Amino acid sequence: MKITENIVKEHGLNPEEYQRIVDSMGREPNLLELGIFSVMWSEHCSYKSSRKHLKGFPTKGEFVLQGPGENAGIVDIGDGLAVAFKMESHNHPSFIEPYQGAATGVGGILRDIFTMGARPVASLNSLRFGAPENSKTRFLLEGVVSGIAGYGNCIGVPTVGGEVYFNSSYNGNCLVNVMTAGVVKKDRIFRGKASGAGNPVIYAGSKTGRDGIHGATMASDVFGEGGEERRPTVQVGDPFAEKLLLEACLELFKTDYVVGIQDMGAAGLTSSSVEMASRGNVGIELDMDAVPRREEGMTPYELMLSESQERMLMVVRAGTEQAVMDIYRKWDLDAEVIGRVTEGNSIRLIEKGQVVADIPVPLLTDDAPVYDRPSRRPAGQDELNTLDTSKLPEPKDYNAVLVRLMSSMNMASREWIYRQYDHMVRTDTVVCPGSDAAVVRIKGTKKALALTADCNSRYCYLDPRTGGKIAVAEAARNLAASGARPMALTDCLNFGNPERPEVMWQLIEAIEGIKEACAALGVPVVSGNVSLYNETSGTSVYPTPTIGMVGLIEDLSSHTRQWFLEEGDIIALLGVNGPALGGSEYLSIIHDMEKGLPPSIDLLREKAVQEACLKAARAGIILSAHDVSEGGLAVAVAEACMNPDGPVGAAVEIDPKGLRSDDLLFGEAQSRIVVSLKPGDLDALKAAAKEAGAPVSVIGRVGGDTLKINSLIELPVKRFADEWKGALEGYLRS
């Protein structure tokens, strides 16, 4: 077939990129080779717009065993054990087909983890949907949640935490970010690297079909209206097949047969073979006739670009082929030798004895285009950041404001979502969804993991650099408030079209903010994902650099939750209040404004507050801890009253120190944690705070069935608890 201008365009390549292919190969590619270039040079696989800017991330640290560049990052938790974790996006597929898009997103991230030799122990998600009144929001929300539940529950990995927000910027593109963590023995970590010329290449798992062809290319493009025309590029998942694949792989990992292994995710057989060859600086030859398939008449083009799920590619030691295949077949999975490692550095495809594609691997990986795209601060950014709070009318009824905030879609209880997830399977979940972070015990030790996912997209829209800093800081604060030392993070950078300078500015600024916070807090980046082109008809999503973070609790008995516990406990505040109405939930819900600058953040104070909380938790001083975030101090205290065993009241008195009442209650000043403790432990808390250099003040006591804050709020807890609990489900039933 003659490669025409239209065919090149259909493959997501521009004329300059095509000419680069021709010049590099010294000839025109055939259609199969063009398809391989199209997926490997897609934004989704090559990171060609972001790679230059990601290089500055700190990637090494005290706990790091494996940083970026592999299927997942890995951190050392002692006792000969390690944790592999990563976050990925499945945004475009979930918008087109929410159930399967979300389900296969879960399946893909699970494979990234057990490919490393780790048994998955927990999953989280971070979701964004359009405005509640948007006609598609309910459909997408219900479908995505069902997909996550359907896949995760069936495979037996608990979904233990996450976040969900609604905003009109996501009307044309929902975001579905999924994260999984798994536990592996330090001396049994497996990597996706091919080596040893002559070693066989084995395909294992489900058969290959025509689903998901050009999925990676589709995920690297903007949408027009609708998107239904893209439905054939969405994969179809089978969690029961994945469960078999998981157990078969873990059985295989007990042997010494495996040289390297990689799951077939985006770009399927193409990316898995090319990336393994690239890491090992070797070539790979594949026999297309040997690839297991479930449909008749499939071409090499379809076989290489299919993104059928539940498949693995591995290089094993020569002579072990039959033993490896026997393991997979015992689990009722296909397993075939489909190729071999070769000298040189080419990916070579054979069909019916003829070479049908031959491409030097570096052309597809290291030599892929890298762009330094132009960036420009948006013309309206100064106006967007202008906010004169003195002109805002103060509410006459703060009780009504608190109820309205607590029952708003971005603040209400997420119980309707997480009760669909089996968060207790495997029986290791200690802190279930609903607190600042989930806590999962590590069997056979006193240790536990705390896990969280976080990002305030509105902050990133108003000031992406500050928003990036706060996303890292709040994730770490969530862990510290749970009694965990933050170890490392994974990210999912969700942005619009990078070919627009304004979007590129947002991306660069957010990355710089993340870098700064990681360096200040000592939390390295060990894995991640970039999802661009989240844009429909020229309207981009809010910049959403989601941060997933894992922390270590050395002694499970010292973990904390966010809820107040007993009458008479003292309530204290780590950190200080300050003016912070810009970009707040209060400003959005009550004044219908998304303006101003987000709260400033002092990263040294942030580190001190987290250190004080962590010291106090480990010493058994604090009984509960809850970070102050969306909704400010009043909402944080109200949420702390929502003990799942029964709501408890509190009486709080805060020195306003010149702040407006609405700013005092609902401003979102950073680096604050509300804690509760026994009166006799107050001096110990003050000592821990002083040692860490963190401000601390007593602000109230737990007790009664009413929440009182200064003379501004006095409400029966049940009054706002009922609204908070029922808002999301009420919306879905309306």
Side-chain angles (χ1 to χ4, degrees), residues 149-178:
Y151 208 101
N153 294 354
C154 288
I155 199 171
V157 176
T159 301
V160 297
E163 58 164 13
V164 59
Y165 290 94
F166 301 84
N167 185 279
S168 60
S169 78
Y170 304 103
N171 282 353
N173 293 81
C174 64
L175 301 184
V176 176
N177 296 174
V178 287

Side-chain angles (χ1 to χ4, degrees), residues 1-15 18 31 34 214 301:
M1 175 186 290
K2 172 69 175 171
I3 304 299
T4 65
E5 221 174 283
N6 280 341
I7 290 174
V8 171
K9 186 177 180 181
E10 287 169 2
H11 281 74
L13 298 167
N14 62 43
Y18 180 70
L31 184 65
L34 182 69
H214 274 299
Y301 182 99

Side-chain angles (χ1 to χ4, degrees), residues 12 117 139 162 247 283 299 306 325 383 397 441 486 490 498 512 559 663:
F139 166 72
E247 298 300 339
T299 65
S306 167
M325 291 189 292
E383 170 60 25
D397 184 348
R441 71 167 57 87
T490 181
E512 290 303 312
H559 81 276
D663 210 343

Side-chain angles (χ1 to χ4, degrees), residues 19 123 134 146 195 287 339 366 406 409 432 451 483 502 506 525 574 628 650 659 678 683 732:
Q19 190 58 49
S123 291
N134 182 265
S146 295
S195 64
D287 179 2
D366 297 341
M406 294 291 286
M409 287 290 282
C432 298
L451 309 103
E502 294 81 4
Q506 293 175 332
V525 179
L574 291 168
V628 180
L659 286 176
K678 294 299 179 188
D683 288 343
L732 289 165

